[in-house]
Amino acid sequence: MLGVIYYLLFLIIGFIYSSMFFKEKDIYYKLWSGLVFGNIILMAGIIPFALIFKFTYISHILLLITAIIPIVVLGIKHKDVVQSIFSEKTVYLKKHLVCKENVVISNKIFLFLIMPVTLLICLLMVNHILAPYANGAVSSGQSTYGDLQMHLGFVTSIAEQKSFPPEYCFLSGTRLNYPFLIDSLSSSLYMFGCPLRIAVLIPSFIFALCIVMGFYILSFSLTKSTTVSVIATLFFFLNGGFGFAYFFESAKEDPSNFTKFFTEYYQTPTNYNEHNIRWSNVICNMIIPQRTTMAGWCVILFELEMLVNAVKNKKTSYFIILGVIAGCMPMIHTHSLLALGIISAGMFFLYLYDEKDKKSYIMRWIYFGGITLVLAMPQLFFWTFSQTSGNSSFLRYSFNWVNEADPYLWFYIKNWGIPFLFIIPAFFNTSKDNKKLVLSCGLLFLIAELILFQPNDYDNNKLFYIAYMIAVIIVSEYLVLIYNKLKGINLRGFLAALVIISATLSGVMTIIREYHSGAMYQTYSAADIEVAEYIKDNTDANGVFMTSTNHINPVVSLAGRTIYVGSSLYVHFHGFGEEYTERSEELKTAYEGSSQQLKSFADENNISYIYVGNNEKQDFNINYNSLSQFEKIYDENSIQIYKVK
């Protein structure tokens, strides 16, 4: 498929850049950083070309050419590296695969840790994203039933409409200010001919690999221990607090209560609101359904690892790379950029105190900060600040996050579990450099506890999880230290097993539930898919549809058309609460009112098509006499489409 080939070209380009920048690193480090580079180039690099030529083939071809040109120029200086990469001989790979120096990920770690965790994530993606269902329908799992439909709308609308900056397809006449670059990446694959499911899955597989590799590499950079890094990786991706205890407790009263996490919607040991369990498993509830978070983690793990090495090694080139990548982050994941900024500020002041050559030190940070600001500020002003300024649902004071029932410390003990219990002694037993990173993450944690940065309170977890990453690594280091000190004690193995089970049981149970939910929930019927194909082939790509506000909406998610107003799950929590309320009320009048009311509404709001499907018939008492004034262009499977103009 042409779309996959196009995507692979950028991954190869990224690997070449990585090989040039990190000649001393092992092959797996180059693979990881190369995949990160390739994805960033395709995501952020398209912006200047699309602003001029829209989201078209021309923009994509120009981006590809532009990405190749520096390789040709730099290749003159690094001819040996470029030749070795393209050589038919295997000397290059053999040299680095068996290299004993500067090795971060060994072959065993890659094969028996990195790949299994990545494949687990990919397996869940396969049975959660447009998975085949009975009678030609498609389905989702528990965690993708909500958010995925929004991302599908972004993917298809950007590719179909080709306008740039993209329009917010769930609220006509509004610019898309939500970080969309991970979805525009899939739009590129979709535009070049990939089926929608493949266009979403293929990049997701690569991002999953980048996240798992990135977390392990960051762990190793901080601790220089393979054992610690393995344990930290398992603790992070199988994360969960002590929520499992509630299921065991309820099973005493009724054994059937224990098994309900297999069947009940969002009643798992890591997402159990009834008992104030709110710390979700990162695989099931962050990486798989939240594509922007997935992309943000891919990038910030690289940035954190680069930041740690930059301040230690005092390499100006590392600070420059930090700035370039950070400058690309606003529309990849704004929360990750914010987290990076807070952590970097903390690191700057903590290292400044001990630095002897303060002038050189400050200059390196100026490179980082200056490049970041030059690249990021235009994006922030154009997209982010234009939505948040004057909107009271953003930037609100609120202490204690989403804890509604428990004492402060108990909330985090039962939600974070082992990492929260051991973070303080772990802090005092780690290295001086790691202490500075932990303190910087503590600043991030404090700010996230005091300020909400979006309408949905829960979404501050996108900041908390970055601090949690470092906490898991430092605590894993401390637990290994304790284990080594207990050498010769008979109960050492039992205690270690108890800690590991306590740290991962809730996560494992949640993952089992999530796998079991795969392809459980039908999202789009065969009729929905059929009408979406008709809409793509026979209607104006930039026309506005009037539909119900149900979040399962084939018009926007499958056909990529803008609708007058979409689900409150998206519109309200993206900061348009008032607009949602007003427009949803107008819809009722339009569908149920007189012919003149409908005609006036359509004219005033630039409605091009009116959609009448099962959801519309359930939500409104449709006045078909009013609709008869317009041409009916589709009438199949109890679905009608009327052309207004």
Side-chain angles (χ1 to χ4, degrees):
M1 285 178 260
L2 186 58
V4 174
I5 294 173
Y6 182 80
Y7 181 49
L8 288 175
L9 286 175
F10 280 91
L11 299 184
I12 293 170
I13 289 170
F15 179 73
I16 295 173
Y17 280 122
S18 175
S19 299
M20 291 177 175
F21 296 151
F22 308 118
K23 290 186 289 185
E24 75 285 358
K25 300 291 187 178
D26 68 71
I27 188 67
Y28 290 118
Y29 188 98
K30 292 174 182 175
L31 172 64
W32 166 62
S33 55
L35 293 176
V36 173
F37 286 170
N39 279 298
I40 291 173
I41 293 169
L42 180 51
M43 285 191 293
I46 196 66
I47 292 176
F49 298 101
L51 286 172
I52 300 172
F53 301 104
K54 304 300 181 182
F55 200 82
T56 59
Y57 294 113
I58 293 176
S59 296
H60 285 75
I61 293 171
L62 290 174
L63 172 61
L64 181 60
I65 294 172
T66 304
I68 293 174
I69 289 175
I71 294 177
V72 176
V73 176
L74 292 174
I76 298 174
K77 184 177 180 180
H78 301 278
K79 185 180 293 185
D80 56 330
V81 177
V82 177
Q83 287 179 342
S84 63
I85 292 172
F86 289 104
S87 174
E88 295 181 0
K89 299 178 181 180
T90 60
V91 174
Y92 178 80
L93 288 177
K94 286 181 178 180
K95 174 183 175 183
H96 288 80
L97 286 173
V98 301
C99 178
K100 301 298 182 183
E101 299 178 0
N102 298 317
V103 172
V104 177
I105 297 179
S106 67
N107 294 333
K108 288 183 179 179
I109 292 297
F110 185 78
L111 292 173
F112 298 110
L113 177 69
I114 304 297
M115 287 308 299
V117 175
T118 301
L119 290 173
L120 172 63
I121 298 172
C122 294
L123 176 64
L124 289 170
M125 288 176 173
V126 168
N127 76 352
H128 275 59
I129 298 175
L130 296 174
Y133 198 74
N135 301 317
V138 294
S139 62
S140 76
Q142 174 183 245
S143 66
T144 53
Y145 188 73
D147 278 4
L148 178 64
Q149 321 316 319
M150 175 192 74
H151 290 293
L152 293 178
F154 294 161
V155 171
T156 54
S157 65
I158 292 172
E160 287 284 329
Q161 298 176 22
K162 296 181 172 52
S163 58
F164 204 92
E167 183 174 8
Y168 184 33
C169 54
F170 292 96
L171 193 70
S172 63
T174 306
R175 187 168 61 218
L176 176 57
N177 295 316
Y178 183 92
F180 60 83
L181 290 182
I182 176 61
D183 291 320
S184 69
L185 187 153
S186 289
S187 300
S188 297
L189 275 70
Y190 184 63
M191 189 178 73
F192 276 100
C194 282
L196 180 57
R197 187 179 190 222
I198 299 300
V200 173
L201 280 175
I202 295 299
S204 298
F205 294 162
I206 301 300
F207 277 95
L209 176 61
C210 288
I211 291 171
V212 179
M213 293 182 75
F215 186 85
Y216 180 90
I217 290 171
L218 177 61
S219 301
F220 192 87
S221 293
L222 295 177
T223 66
K224 298 297 184 281
S225 168
T226 299
T227 302
V228 171
S229 301
V230 170
I231 293 173
T233 300
L234 293 175
F235 279 7
F236 181 69
F237 290 100
L238 303 180
N239 77 296
F242 299 135
F244 62 84
Y246 290 106
F247 286 88
F248 288 117
E249 183 68 24
S250 63
K252 293 179 181 179
E253 301 174 3
D254 182 358
S256 65
N257 287 336
F258 181 77
T259 59
K260 67 181 180 181
F261 78 90
F262 282 110
T263 56
E264 298 294 327
Y265 191 72
Y266 275 124
Q267 291 197 16
T268 70
T270 63
N271 205 319
Y272 200 4
N273 290 359
E274 180 181 335
H275 293 287
N276 211 20
I277 297 296
R278 306 298 302 274
W279 195 249
S280 303
N281 176 260
V282 300
I283 292 178
C284 298
N285 297 105
M286 301 303 293
I287 296 174
I288 294 174
Q290 300 193 40
R291 302 192 81 226
T292 50
T293 298
M294 175 180 68
W297 285 7
C298 169
V299 179
I300 198 171
L301 283 167
F302 174 84
E303 288 288 86
L304 289 176
E305 198 278 337
M306 184 63 57
L307 179 62
V308 168
N309 282 286
V311 293
K312 287 181 182 179
N313 300 323
K314 302 180 180 180
K315 283 191 174 183
T316 301
S317 60
Y318 282 8
F319 283 92
I320 293 173
I321 294 173
L322 274 168
V324 172
I325 301 301
C328 296
M329 290 178 68
M331 296 310 290
I332 294 176
H333 194 223
T334 315
H335 282 85
S336 289
L337 175 62
L338 175 60
L340 177 64
I342 294 170
I343 292 171
S344 297
M347 295 279 278
F348 170 78
F349 288 107
L350 289 171
Y351 275 92
L352 177 63
Y353 180 79
D354 294 329
E355 182 63 42
K356 294 180 180 179
D357 186 1
K358 287 183 170 53
K359 182 178 179 180
S360 298
Y361 174 82
I362 293 173
M363 280 304 302
R364 290 192 292 271
W365 281 90
I366 288 176
Y367 283 124
F368 173 22
I371 294 172
T372 300
L373 290 175
V374 168
L375 295 176
M377 291 309 292
Q379 300 174 63
L380 291 171
F381 275 106
F382 187 75
W383 279 297
T384 308
F385 298 156
S386 65
Q387 179 175 348
T388 59
S389 60
N391 192 326
S392 60
S393 62
F394 293 89
L395 291 178
R396 295 168 289 136
Y397 169 79
S398 178
F399 177 67
N400 209 8
W401 189 36
V402 292
N403 178 19
E404 299 176 352
D406 293 308
Y408 185 84
L409 291 178
W410 175 238
F411 173 78
Y412 280 104
I413 288 172
K414 74 179 189 179
N415 275 276
W416 277 34
I418 295 296
F420 194 81
L421 287 176
F422 289 95
I423 186 59
I424 293 178
F427 171 79
F428 287 106
N429 284 273
T430 193
S431 68
K432 185 177 180 180
D433 286 324
N434 287 351
K435 284 185 174 72
K436 293 175 181 177
L437 179 59
V438 173
L439 287 173
S440 300
C441 289
L443 175 63
L444 172 63
F445 185 96
L446 177 62
I447 291 174
E449 274 283 27
L450 297 176
I451 302 173
L452 295 173
F453 290 90
Q454 64 291 307
N456 188 353
D457 299 1
Y458 185 69
D459 279 350
N460 255 33
N461 65 357
K462 296 170 183 176
L463 299 174
F464 284 118
Y465 273 108
I466 306 302
Y468 178 75
M469 291 177 183
I470 305 304
V472 168
I473 295 170
I474 301 304
V475 168
S476 298
E477 180 187 41
Y478 179 64
L479 293 175
V480 170
L481 176 65
I482 294 176
Y483 181 81
N484 291 335
K485 288 185 176 181
L486 294 177
K487 185 177 182 180
I489 297 178
N490 293 332
L491 292 177
R492 184 174 76 152
F494 171 78
L495 292 173
L498 183 63
V499 169
I500 292 172
I501 291 172
S502 299
T504 60
L505 181 57
S506 291
V508 170
M509 291 173 66
T510 301
I511 291 170
I512 292 172
R513 157 57 182 160
E514 201 59 50
Y515 175 78
H516 184 262
S517 77
M520 180 180 287
Y521 306 99
Q522 176 179 313
T523 48
Y524 302 101
S525 66
D528 291 331
I529 297 172
E530 181 180 328
V531 72
E533 289 300 316
Y534 174 86
I535 291 171
K536 287 193 292 184
D537 293 338
N538 297 278
T539 66
D540 180 6
N542 298 106
V544 176
F545 274 73
M546 186 176 95
T547 73
S548 74
T549 61
N550 192 281
H551 83 285
I552 305 293
N553 191 322
V555 173
V556 61
S557 296
L558 299 185
R561 297 302 188 260
T562 295
I563 57 178
Y564 181 62
V565 61
S567 170
S568 63
L569 291 173
Y570 315 138
V571 179
H572 175 80
F573 288 115
H574 292 165
F576 298 105
E578 294 181 3
E579 290 83 349
Y580 171 79
T581 300
E582 180 180 334
R583 291 196 183 195
S584 59
E585 292 174 354
E586 291 174 349
L587 280 181
K588 180 176 177 62
T589 302
Y591 272 110
E592 299 179 357
S594 66
S595 298
Q596 185 56 45
Q597 286 177 310
L598 178 58
K599 182 68 167 62
S600 298
F601 172 82
D603 290 342
E604 291 172 5
N605 295 286
N606 199 31
I607 303 297
S608 303
Y609 304 93
I610 300 172
Y611 184 88
V612 180
N614 292 330
N615 290 324
E616 288 72 21
K617 294 171 184 176
Q618 291 174 6
D619 295 344
F620 307 109
N621 183 19
I622 306 284
N623 186 342
Y624 287 96
N625 288 331
S626 296
L627 290 172
S628 64
Q629 64 184 304
F630 304 118
E631 178 188 2
K632 185 191 296 183
I633 60 173
Y634 185 88
D635 190 0
E636 299 287 343
N637 303 309
S638 299
I639 299 173
Q640 295 85 40
I641 299 176
Y642 297 85
K643 184 177 181 180
V644 177
K645 53 183 177 182

